[in-house]
Amino acid sequence: MNILELIKKRYTAKTYNSVKEIPLDKIEDLKEILRLTPSSINIQPWKFTFVQNQEIKAKLASVSMHNEEKINQAKLLVIFSVVDDFDAFQKVVDHEFSNTSRNWYNQIKASMPENDLKIWLSKQVYIALGVGLTASIALGLDSTAMEGIESDKYMDILNMSAYKPLFAMAIGYGSEDDFNRIEITPKSRRLQENVIETI
Ligand SMILES: Cc1cc2nc3c(=O)[nH]c(=O)nc-3n(C[C@H](O)[C@H](O)[C@H](O)COP(=O)(O)O)c2cc1C
């Protein structure tokens, strides 16, 4: 299937087949695909937490607003977090990054308030969501992007301190009778002429 057909086929899964397992190699591919996400000045300010453990997934589901049922049903939950502890991240920048990225980051950090820096870093993590949603359908998997999560409670459950969850993605096989499947609920988007300008 070509990329346009895949994108047309992709939909937000609202219910999942809770029995069918995801092959391990697909999960490993997804980890590597997310790691390869591009970001401004190659800053990579993220942590991707792959949760397959049913018990922990159920705890996270219980603090995920209207998303509880689908998280419990889906075989995999990936949590996308952004840097929250800037002292800890400075060590990452100093040890893991090229001189170019490090110099750029230090300049940007010095030029803006911490809150603006957080917003800029968070935007980079959203790029990984686009990559993850596209990769999932290319791997033959269904997915759900979810901002409807209680970030502070996720941090407690996951014992997380240096990073803060922004959103999560449920992944698995959508159930056959999901009302949101493309055959039942056709894609709804603004017209191309209203969103694309060609000069
Ligand atoms: C950043 C983001 C957050 C979203 N959060 C939720 C969510 O918490 N729960 C949910 O069921 N869908 C969520 N969605 C799905 C959107 O509602 C959905 O992508 C949009 O309506 C278009 O439908 P489609 O993905 O089926 O084409 C989210 C999507 C994005 C991109």
Side-chain angles (χ1 to χ4, degrees), residues 1 15 17 50 63 67 70 98 105 114 119 121 131-132 137 144 189 191 199:
M1 204 179 279
T15 57
N17 179 329
F50 279 63
V63 292
N67 294 308
K70 54 179 99 74
S98 70
Y105 175 71
E114 194 171 288
I119 292 169
L121 293 174
V131 170
I137 193 67
T144 315
R189 292 293 191 271
L191 295 175
I199 296 167

mmCIF file of all heavy atoms in Angstrom, residues 1 15 17 50 63 67 70 98 105 114 119 121 131-132 137 144 189 191 199:
data_model
loop_
_atom_site.group_PDB
_atom_site.id
_atom_site.type_symbol
_atom_site.label_atom_id
_atom_site.label_comp_id
_atom_site.label_asym_id
_atom_site.label_seq_id
_atom_site.Cartn_x
_atom_site.Cartn_y
_atom_site.Cartn_z
ATOM 1 N N MET A 1 0.847 -1.201 0.000
ATOM 2 C CA MET A 1 0.000 0.000 0.000
ATOM 3 C C MET A 1 0.879 1.247 0.000
ATOM 4 O O MET A 1 1.853 1.284 0.758
ATOM 5 C CB MET A 1 -0.859 -0.018 1.277
ATOM 6 C CG MET A 1 -2.137 0.778 1.148
ATOM 7 S SD MET A 1 -3.136 0.705 2.633
ATOM 8 C CE MET A 1 -3.971 -0.858 2.448
ATOM 9 N N THR A 15 -11.813 1.374 20.226
ATOM 10 C CA THR A 15 -11.853 0.109 20.972
ATOM 11 C C THR A 15 -10.870 -0.864 20.315
ATOM 12 O O THR A 15 -10.635 -0.806 19.104
ATOM 13 C CB THR A 15 -13.271 -0.539 20.979
ATOM 14 O OG1 THR A 15 -13.690 -0.739 19.630
ATOM 15 C CG2 THR A 15 -14.287 0.326 21.696
ATOM 16 N N ASN A 17 -9.030 -4.952 20.094
ATOM 17 C CA ASN A 17 -9.061 -6.395 20.319
ATOM 18 C C ASN A 17 -8.103 -6.648 21.496
ATOM 19 O O ASN A 17 -6.912 -6.357 21.396
ATOM 20 C CB ASN A 17 -8.566 -7.085 19.042
ATOM 21 C CG ASN A 17 -8.522 -8.579 19.169
ATOM 22 O OD1 ASN A 17 -8.295 -9.118 20.247
ATOM 23 N ND2 ASN A 17 -8.718 -9.272 18.052
ATOM 24 N N PHE A 50 7.527 2.467 27.040
ATOM 25 C CA PHE A 50 6.708 1.398 26.459
ATOM 26 C C PHE A 50 6.134 0.542 27.590
ATOM 27 O O PHE A 50 6.896 -0.093 28.314
ATOM 28 C CB PHE A 50 7.555 0.532 25.520
ATOM 29 C CG PHE A 50 7.731 1.133 24.151
ATOM 30 C CD1 PHE A 50 8.385 2.345 23.977
ATOM 31 C CD2 PHE A 50 7.229 0.487 23.027
ATOM 32 C CE1 PHE A 50 8.538 2.904 22.701
ATOM 33 C CE2 PHE A 50 7.377 1.042 21.754
ATOM 34 C CZ PHE A 50 8.022 2.243 21.591
ATOM 35 N N VAL A 63 -6.141 6.654 35.373
ATOM 36 C CA VAL A 63 -5.947 8.110 35.478
ATOM 37 C C VAL A 63 -5.813 8.719 34.064
ATOM 38 O O VAL A 63 -5.013 9.606 33.832
ATOM 39 C CB VAL A 63 -4.731 8.461 36.378
ATOM 40 C CG1 VAL A 63 -5.020 8.101 37.821
ATOM 41 C CG2 VAL A 63 -3.450 7.777 35.905
ATOM 42 N N ASN A 67 -10.196 7.793 28.347
ATOM 43 C CA ASN A 67 -9.401 6.816 27.581
ATOM 44 C C ASN A 67 -9.188 5.493 28.319
ATOM 45 O O ASN A 67 -8.454 4.619 27.819
ATOM 46 C CB ASN A 67 -8.051 7.436 27.222
ATOM 47 C CG ASN A 67 -8.198 8.614 26.265
ATOM 48 O OD1 ASN A 67 -8.846 8.479 25.231
ATOM 49 N ND2 ASN A 67 -7.644 9.758 26.631
ATOM 50 N N LYS A 70 -9.955 1.960 26.422
ATOM 51 C CA LYS A 70 -9.099 1.612 25.279
ATOM 52 C C LYS A 70 -7.669 1.301 25.723
ATOM 53 O O LYS A 70 -7.005 0.432 25.158
ATOM 54 C CB LYS A 70 -9.155 2.665 24.163
ATOM 55 C CG LYS A 70 -8.863 4.080 24.540
ATOM 56 C CD LYS A 70 -8.925 5.015 23.325
ATOM 57 C CE LYS A 70 -10.195 5.801 23.142
ATOM 58 N NZ LYS A 70 -10.355 6.930 24.083
ATOM 59 N N SER A 98 26.595 16.483 20.142
ATOM 60 C CA SER A 98 27.693 17.075 19.364
ATOM 61 C C SER A 98 27.914 18.510 19.849
ATOM 62 O O SER A 98 27.018 19.128 20.440
ATOM 63 C CB SER A 98 27.315 17.099 17.885
ATOM 64 O OG SER A 98 26.289 18.057 17.675
ATOM 65 N N TYR A 105 21.982 24.676 21.821
ATOM 66 C CA TYR A 105 21.084 24.532 22.971
ATOM 67 C C TYR A 105 21.441 25.552 24.054
ATOM 68 O O TYR A 105 20.551 26.224 24.596
ATOM 69 C CB TYR A 105 21.146 23.105 23.540
ATOM 70 C CG TYR A 105 20.326 22.968 24.801
ATOM 71 C CD1 TYR A 105 18.921 22.985 24.756
ATOM 72 C CD2 TYR A 105 20.934 22.848 26.050
ATOM 73 C CE1 TYR A 105 18.155 22.894 25.901
ATOM 74 C CE2 TYR A 105 20.177 22.744 27.202
ATOM 75 C CZ TYR A 105 18.791 22.767 27.128
ATOM 76 O OH TYR A 105 18.037 22.680 28.278
ATOM 77 N N GLU A 114 12.476 29.988 31.182
ATOM 78 C CA GLU A 114 12.368 28.523 31.252
ATOM 79 C C GLU A 114 11.027 28.024 30.700
ATOM 80 O O GLU A 114 10.959 26.974 30.071
ATOM 81 C CB GLU A 114 12.572 28.042 32.687
ATOM 82 C CG GLU A 114 12.811 26.545 32.753
ATOM 83 C CD GLU A 114 13.232 26.064 34.133
ATOM 84 O OE1 GLU A 114 14.375 26.356 34.520
ATOM 85 O OE2 GLU A 114 12.415 25.413 34.803
ATOM 86 N N ILE A 119 8.042 24.989 26.396
ATOM 87 C CA ILE A 119 7.075 24.939 25.278
ATOM 88 C C ILE A 119 7.791 24.514 23.997
ATOM 89 O O ILE A 119 7.319 23.632 23.274
ATOM 90 C CB ILE A 119 6.369 26.311 25.091
ATOM 91 C CG1 ILE A 119 5.464 26.582 26.295
ATOM 92 C CG2 ILE A 119 5.567 26.352 23.790
ATOM 93 C CD1 ILE A 119 4.919 27.993 26.371
ATOM 94 N N LEU A 121 10.560 22.791 23.707
ATOM 95 C CA LEU A 121 10.963 21.373 23.791
ATOM 96 C C LEU A 121 9.747 20.457 23.596
ATOM 97 O O LEU A 121 9.842 19.413 22.944
ATOM 98 C CB LEU A 121 11.645 21.087 25.129
ATOM 99 C CG LEU A 121 13.012 21.774 25.335
ATOM 100 C CD1 LEU A 121 13.538 21.538 26.745
ATOM 101 C CD2 LEU A 121 14.034 21.290 24.303
ATOM 102 N N VAL A 131 5.278 10.888 13.841
ATOM 103 C CA VAL A 131 6.077 9.747 13.369
ATOM 104 C C VAL A 131 5.451 8.440 13.875
ATOM 105 O O VAL A 131 5.284 7.471 13.124
ATOM 106 C CB VAL A 131 7.549 9.887 13.839
ATOM 107 C CG1 VAL A 131 8.331 8.610 13.566
ATOM 108 C CG2 VAL A 131 8.217 11.081 13.158
ATOM 109 N N GLY A 132 5.092 8.423 15.137
ATOM 110 C CA GLY A 132 4.545 7.199 15.762
ATOM 111 C C GLY A 132 3.217 6.774 15.156
ATOM 112 O O GLY A 132 2.974 5.591 14.912
ATOM 113 N N ILE A 137 0.524 2.621 11.513
ATOM 114 C CA ILE A 137 -0.288 2.093 10.414
ATOM 115 C C ILE A 137 0.595 1.396 9.381
ATOM 116 O O ILE A 137 0.208 0.372 8.805
ATOM 117 C CB ILE A 137 -1.202 3.198 9.790
ATOM 118 C CG1 ILE A 137 -2.252 2.569 8.868
ATOM 119 C CG2 ILE A 137 -0.421 4.259 9.051
ATOM 120 C CD1 ILE A 137 -3.280 1.717 9.557
ATOM 121 N N THR A 144 -4.070 5.135 18.969
ATOM 122 C CA THR A 144 -4.853 6.259 19.479
ATOM 123 C C THR A 144 -3.907 7.254 20.134
ATOM 124 O O THR A 144 -3.225 6.907 21.108
ATOM 125 C CB THR A 144 -5.851 5.791 20.581
ATOM 126 O OG1 THR A 144 -6.504 4.599 20.161
ATOM 127 C CG2 THR A 144 -6.875 6.870 20.892
ATOM 128 N N ARG A 189 -12.239 15.916 7.294
ATOM 129 C CA ARG A 189 -11.172 16.922 7.256
ATOM 130 C C ARG A 189 -11.648 18.127 6.461
ATOM 131 O O ARG A 189 -12.518 18.008 5.599
ATOM 132 C CB ARG A 189 -9.899 16.366 6.580
ATOM 133 C CG ARG A 189 -9.171 15.284 7.330
ATOM 134 C CD ARG A 189 -8.544 15.780 8.619
ATOM 135 N NE ARG A 189 -7.652 14.785 9.176
ATOM 136 C CZ ARG A 189 -8.004 13.817 10.034
ATOM 137 N NH1 ARG A 189 -9.264 13.743 10.436
ATOM 138 N NH2 ARG A 189 -7.115 12.968 10.472
ATOM 139 N N LEU A 191 -11.501 20.931 3.571
ATOM 140 C CA LEU A 191 -11.181 20.755 2.148
ATOM 141 C C LEU A 191 -9.749 21.159 1.854
ATOM 142 O O LEU A 191 -9.226 22.089 2.454
ATOM 143 C CB LEU A 191 -12.128 21.606 1.286
ATOM 144 C CG LEU A 191 -13.609 21.237 1.320
ATOM 145 C CD1 LEU A 191 -14.420 22.248 0.521
ATOM 146 C CD2 LEU A 191 -13.814 19.812 0.802
ATOM 147 N N ILE A 199 1.546 28.197 -4.528
ATOM 148 C CA ILE A 199 1.966 29.471 -5.153
ATOM 149 C C ILE A 199 2.919 29.191 -6.308
ATOM 150 O O ILE A 199 3.805 28.353 -6.173
ATOM 151 C CB ILE A 199 2.644 30.375 -4.100
ATOM 152 C CG1 ILE A 199 1.607 30.745 -3.017
ATOM 153 C CG2 ILE A 199 3.210 31.645 -4.750
ATOM 154 C CD1 ILE A 199 2.174 31.360 -1.795
#
